[in-house]
Amino acid sequence: MTQTTIDRPGVSALQEAVQGAADRLVQAGAAGVQFRVTRGDNSFVVTSGIAELGSDRPVPADGRFRISCITKPFVSVVVLQLVAEGRLDLDRTVESYLPGLLPYGEKITVRNLMQHTSGLYNYMDSFQKPGDRFLRDRYKHYEPEDLIAIAAAKPLEFEPGTKFAYCNTNYFIVGLLIKKITGRSYREEITERVLEPLGLKETTLPGDDPNIPGPHARGYMQIGGEPVDVTLMNPSEAGCAGEIISTTADLDRFFTALFSGELLNEPEFTEMTTPLPPEMIENLPMGIGYGLGIMKLENDDDLDLWGHGAGIPGYATFAATTRDRSARVQLSFTIGDKDFGPEAEQAVIRGVNTALCS
C-alpha cells in the first residue's frame, strides 16, 4: 500500500514532482520514504509508503533514521577543527600518531584516510552472508581495534595516494586518532563541537544502544527470501564510519551550517571541498569527486553540488546541498520487501535531480 503525504497546503508543481519521485521509489522497492527539499525560500517535506510492513501507518515526516556513512562529514568537521587548532596535520602519517596500529602506518597519512586513498582493506568485506551474519551478530559489540586488525592483517590493496577505494576502516582509524589527540571519544567531540552548537537535538550517537529513539519507520532486509525487520541493531560495527541517527531537518541544518561557514574556517573548508579528480572515482553513485568526508556530485544542471550517500541494514539515505545553499535535499528511505538494487538506485538519482534541477 502506498500512502503519499505533503506536509502543508498550497502544493506547488515542484512538490508534485517530488511526490511523484518519492512514489516511484516506493514502486522500486522502498517501504517508506521521507523527502525534504529546499529551493530558495521554498522548503517542504513529502513522504510516501508505509512505516511498517503489514500496516497502513504512514511514514512520519519528522522520523529518525540511521544515516550510516553521512556520519563521515560530521567526523571530518571535528578533524578539520583540530587542524585549525594546530593539533593535527593532515599530511602526517598514521604511524606518527598511532604507532604500531598498522604494519604499514608510515605510508598512510591522515589525508589518505579521510579521502579513501589509503589502500586499506575494508573490514566489511570480511563479513560473509550478510543476512545470516546480521541475524547472528546484530546485537554484538565491536571494538574499533578489532575491526582495524582485520584490515591490518591484509596487505595494502594499492599504494597509498594512487587510487580511490571507499573503505570504512579508514574512519575507524580516524576515530582512534581523535581520541589520541583530544583524550575524548569522537562521540564526545562531535556532540560538543557540532550537535550542541547547532542545536541538533534529534541527532544521536547511540554507541551500543540498538534502538532508534523517537518516531521512525522500520527497516527490513531480505533474508531467506523474506523481509526481516532489522530496525534494531548494535551500530558499533559502523562506529565512527556510520553510527549516527538523525532526521532530514537536522541534516539540513548541519549541511547549511557547514556550507555557510559556521563550522569551519575558510582554509579548512577548502581542504574539505577540494575533490579528487573524477577519473579516480569509481563505483560511487553520482560521485564525481571525493574531498575529506564529502562528495562532489554529478547532476543534470551541472550544479556545484556536494553531499553524501549512505546505506546500513534497513535504511538508505542521501543528503546534498549546492555550495551557495540555494538548493538542498535530504532523502531517507527504508528498505522494504525487495533488495535495494539498480532500479532503486536509479530512482534515487532521478528523484534528487527532480528535486534540485530545473
Side-chain angles (χ1 to χ4, degrees):
M1 178 179 179
T2 298
Q3 294 194 357
T4 64
T5 64
I6 297 177
D7 74 336
R8 66 181 193 181
V11 177
S12 68
L14 176 60
Q15 286 172 288
E16 292 281 10
V18 173
Q19 184 68 70
D23 294 345
R24 284 190 293 274
L25 191 49
V26 170
Q27 293 164 9
V33 179
Q34 294 181 60
F35 218 135
R36 178 180 294 272
V37 177
T38 301
R39 293 277 295 274
D41 295 330
N42 184 18
S43 183
F44 59 88
V45 176
V46 303
T47 68
S48 185
I50 52 177
E52 185 174 2
L53 293 182
S55 79
D56 58 1
R57 183 164 61 90
V59 176
D62 61 348
R64 278 69 161 172
F65 47 86
R66 301 188 188 279
I67 71 170
S68 185
C69 291
I70 303 178
T71 298
K72 292 178 176 70
F74 287 78
V75 174
S76 295
V77 165
V78 171
V79 170
L80 289 164
Q81 287 184 358
L82 293 173
V83 169
E85 294 163 10
R87 302 168 70 183
L88 187 150
D89 185 336
L90 293 172
D91 295 310
R92 275 184 59 179
T93 66
V94 173
E95 182 66 18
S96 71
Y97 286 112
L98 298 165
L101 182 68
L102 301 173
Y104 28 67
E106 75 286 350
K107 294 184 175 183
I108 300 171
T109 66
V110 178
R111 188 185 302 275
N112 292 147
L113 296 174
M114 295 179 69
Q115 67 183 188
H116 298 292
T117 59
S118 68
L120 285 167
Y121 175 79
N122 191 350
Y123 72 88
M124 292 295 296
D125 292 342
S126 68
F127 288 174
Q128 300 301 313
K129 296 183 178 179
D132 295 339
R133 197 280 309 176
F134 182 86
L135 290 182
R136 183 187 70 235
D137 297 337
R138 67 190 298 174
Y139 300 116
K140 181 178 178 179
H141 170 78
Y142 290 88
E143 288 291 338
E145 292 85 351
D146 292 338
L147 297 176
I148 294 167
I150 294 172
K154 304 279 188 179
L156 287 173
E157 299 193 332
F158 52 83
E159 194 67 18
T162 63
K163 294 182 180 180
F164 169 91
Y166 196 87
C167 172
N168 281 338
T169 307
N170 292 319
Y171 277 74
F172 270 82
I173 298 171
V174 172
L176 295 186
L177 179 61
I178 290 171
K179 187 172 184 178
K180 178 67 177 290
I181 290 172
T182 67
R184 305 198 311 167
S185 71
Y186 68 87
R187 295 186 185 94
E188 293 172 296
E189 292 295 321
I190 289 174
T191 298
E192 184 172 297
R193 292 172 178 268
V194 182
L195 305 189
E196 291 177 351
L198 297 184
L200 303 185
K201 296 180 179 180
E202 297 171 348
T203 300
T204 57
L205 291 108
D208 288 327
D209 188 345
N211 298 288
I212 297 178
H216 60 276
R218 305 193 71 82
Y220 301 83
M221 178 189 289
Q222 289 291 309
I223 303 176
E226 298 291 334
V228 177
D229 190 326
V230 295
T231 305
L232 301 182
M233 65 173 289
N234 183 324
S236 63
E237 71 175 62
C240 194
E243 76 162 91
I244 289 179
I245 294 168
S246 191
T247 62
T248 60
D250 271 12
L251 286 180
D252 186 50
R253 173 72 179 115
F254 169 73
F255 278 99
T256 299
L258 176 60
F259 278 80
S260 65
E262 292 182 58
L263 292 172
L264 295 175
N265 297 325
E266 187 58 36
E268 288 72 41
F269 180 73
T270 298
E271 289 276 15
M272 189 177 193
T273 56
T274 299
L276 295 167
E279 57 267 23
M280 289 186 70
I281 308 302
E282 297 180 0
N283 303 317
L284 202 59
M286 293 185 71
I288 53 172
Y290 201 94
L292 302 180
I294 196 167
M295 289 188 280
K296 185 170 176 60
L297 298 161
E298 185 176 25
N299 58 89
D300 290 349
D301 277 0
D302 198 27
L303 301 171
D304 191 4
L305 189 66
W306 291 84
H308 216 290
I312 198 168
Y315 297 84
T317 306
F318 183 90
T321 180
T322 53
R323 189 180 288 267
D324 66 4
R325 309 181 307 283
S326 63
R328 308 189 302 275
V329 63
Q330 300 81 38
L331 165 64
S332 175
F333 64 94
T334 46
I335 311 301
D337 56 4
K338 297 180 184 177
D339 284 328
F340 181 76
E343 183 183 358
E345 184 176 290
Q346 288 304 309
V348 170
I349 293 171
R350 291 196 307 272
V352 170
N353 278 290
T354 296
L356 298 182
C357 298
S358 299

